[in-house]
Amino acid sequence: MVAPPLTVLVTGAAGRTGRLVLQRLCARPEDFKAPRGLVRDLHRAQEAVGEHCAGSLVEGNVLDKESLQKAMAGVDALVILTSAVPKMNPP
């Protein structure tokens, strides 16, 4: 029995690791149906992910519940590659 292709959402898709994962998912349509990449800035991210994956991008923010729920609608799996920028607090 062959499993049907999965719909996967990748958060942090504009970052280095997120972009690489999304590109790999887009390159395997037999395994991953319509992968999605969650990005904060759609226009900036389209250049980063390349032409064959640019249509897979969804604009949103992991801190915004509504945009996250919208991006996750119909998703079978989630790959969390969002990173925080550390902020040093002086003693």
Side-chain angles (χ1 to χ4, degrees):
M1 176 183 258
V2 177
L6 295 174
T7 299
V8 179
L9 174 66
V10 179
T11 67
R16 183 173 184 254
T17 305
R19 180 185 73 238
L20 292 171
V21 169
L22 183 62
Q23 288 171 336
R24 295 281 174 106
L25 295 175
C26 287
R28 294 178 52 192
E30 66 282 355
D31 296 319
F32 303 102
K33 178 181 85 179
R36 299 179 203 164
L38 184 68
V39 298
R40 287 179 290 183
D41 185 334
L42 188 61
H43 299 293
R44 190 186 80 176
Q46 286 175 331
E47 276 186 37
V49 298
E51 277 185 32
H52 73 282
C53 254
S56 301
L57 298 177
V58 178
E59 195 167 44
N61 190 317
V62 295
L63 300 176
D64 176 24
K65 183 179 178 180
E66 190 174 309
S67 72
L68 195 54
Q69 286 176 328
K70 184 178 177 181
M72 291 181 67
V75 167
D76 300 310
L78 175 64
V79 179
I80 302 171
L81 296 172
T82 311
S83 65
V85 177
K87 182 178 179 183
M88 296 295 291
N89 292 324

